Amino acid sequence: MKTETEARYRARVDEAVRLLSTRLADPPPADELARLVGASRYHFQRLYRAATGESVLETLNRLRAVRALELLERSVPVTEIAAEVGYETSQAFARAFRSWTGASPSEAREIAADLKRRFARPDRPEGAAVEIEITRLAPLTLTIIHTRQPIGPLNPVYEALFATVAEQGRLEDVRGIYGVPLNDPAFDPEGLIEHLAAIELGGEKLAGHVQHDIAGGRAVRTRHTGPFEALPGTETALYRRVLEEGWMLADAPPLHHHLDEPDDVPAEDLRTDIYLTLREDAS
């Protein structure tokens, strides 16, 4: 059963890649690709990266480069090539093409065959294995700050949250520090990260802040040790294990449980448990 589920996931990802290859000028939105793969909006981006080793945008640009090189070999005019791969002007296409290949379209005509080999589909990623555990995640009510910002440290967001906790005399009520990543910035059209900085408090709601409920349930967990900036790599490795095991994921975002405070522990020793909630009706 697990092997069948993994094969189904990978076959659907392959279908998504084929769909992209037929829609270079009008790429399907992420929601359409997620439905095709059969994954929720929270997990599609990360499952895709775990299965292919690249983001959807990286796949799209790779396919565009290959198609453009094929047309250049056939001496198709640059204006026609630009339109076929999704660019309104030849100038915009030329800039994108140089960013992909390091050459202008005219320069590439003579070496198109060699360049195409650089854009072969990457091998299925393997990467480092992670130790996992199937567990039950208890329901949580978290106090949050919802942020959407450029990629960078989230420390100021947590500092603002803790400042409010301290002002209201609630530091003794803090039971846990959490993060809920809502997107993968590599797939975001603006390259922004959307994230819930969260703490678990005992007692009453924190004035001035909203709460976010985590339903809990059966989950797979792995532990990341190291700086927060390296979390995405461990998370991708966890998604790769999900693919290998054929587990079906619930429609809930990942949950990061930060076990240490950065002010107290060196970055290389920071521990974070990463949870992915599994569907209760799937083995």
Side-chain angles (χ1 to χ4, degrees), residues 188-212:
D188 187 271
E190 300 174 76
L192 301 178
I193 183 170
E194 187 171 6
H195 182 270
L196 303 182
I199 55 173
E200 183 187 12
L201 287 174
E204 298 178 359
K205 177 181 176 181
L206 186 68
H209 286 274
V210 298
Q211 292 181 315
H212 177 81

Side-chain angles (χ1 to χ4, degrees), residues 4-222:
E4 292 175 2
T5 306
E6 178 190 4
R8 186 164 60 249
Y9 263 135
R10 293 194 182 278
R12 289 175 176 176
V13 168
D14 287 342
E15 287 181 28
V17 173
R18 283 193 291 272
L19 180 61
L20 282 169
S21 71
T22 65
R23 302 257 305 264
L24 299 179
D26 179 29
D31 287 349
E32 182 179 345
L33 293 172
R35 287 193 297 271
L36 180 61
V37 172
S40 77
R41 62 191 178 93
Y42 297 118
H43 301 303
F44 162 67
Q45 302 163 346
R46 297 172 175 89
L47 282 170
Y48 186 94
R49 184 188 293 280
T52 65
E54 58 187 2
S55 72
V56 171
L57 180 58
E58 288 167 339
T59 299
L60 178 62
N61 286 338
R62 179 173 56 79
L63 294 171
R64 282 171 163 168
V66 170
R67 182 57 178 158
L69 288 165
E70 290 172 348
L71 296 174
L72 285 169
E73 282 185 299
R74 290 159 45 189
S75 299
V76 174
V78 171
T79 52
E80 293 181 23
I81 298 174
E84 181 156 338
V85 299
Y87 290 87
E88 293 184 357
T89 68
S90 57
Q91 292 83 2
F93 164 70
R95 288 193 295 272
F97 187 85
R98 184 175 287 279
S99 73
W100 305 330
T101 66
S104 70
S106 59
E107 293 167 342
R109 284 193 191 276
E110 302 302 320
I111 54 172
D114 290 334
L115 285 173
K116 275 197 301 184
R117 285 191 282 272
R118 287 172 41 190
F119 292 95
R121 182 169 180 171
D123 295 331
R124 297 286 191 191
E126 294 183 3
V130 292
E131 294 185 4
I132 59 171
E133 177 186 12
I134 299 297
T135 185
R136 291 206 69 84
L137 177 63
L140 295 167
T141 296
L142 303 177
T143 299
I144 66 165
I145 293 180
H146 186 164
T147 183
R148 181 171 162 78
Q149 65 174 56
I151 299 173
L154 291 164
N155 304 52
V157 184
Y158 283 93
E159 289 169 1
L161 184 54
F162 269 92
T164 304
V165 172
E167 289 169 4
Q168 297 185 25
R170 301 286 303 280
L171 286 175
E172 295 298 321
D173 292 336
V174 175
R175 297 179 178 175
I177 307 170
Y178 295 86
V180 183
L182 298 178
N183 76 335
D184 182 338
F187 292 79
D188 187 271
E190 300 174 76
L192 301 178
I193 183 170
E194 187 171 6
H195 182 270
L196 303 182
I199 55 173
E200 183 187 12
L201 287 174
E204 298 178 359
K205 177 181 176 181
L206 186 68
H209 286 274
V210 298
Q211 292 181 315
H212 177 81
D213 290 328
I214 302 291
R218 184 166 167 262
V220 57
R221 174 177 64 194
T222 193

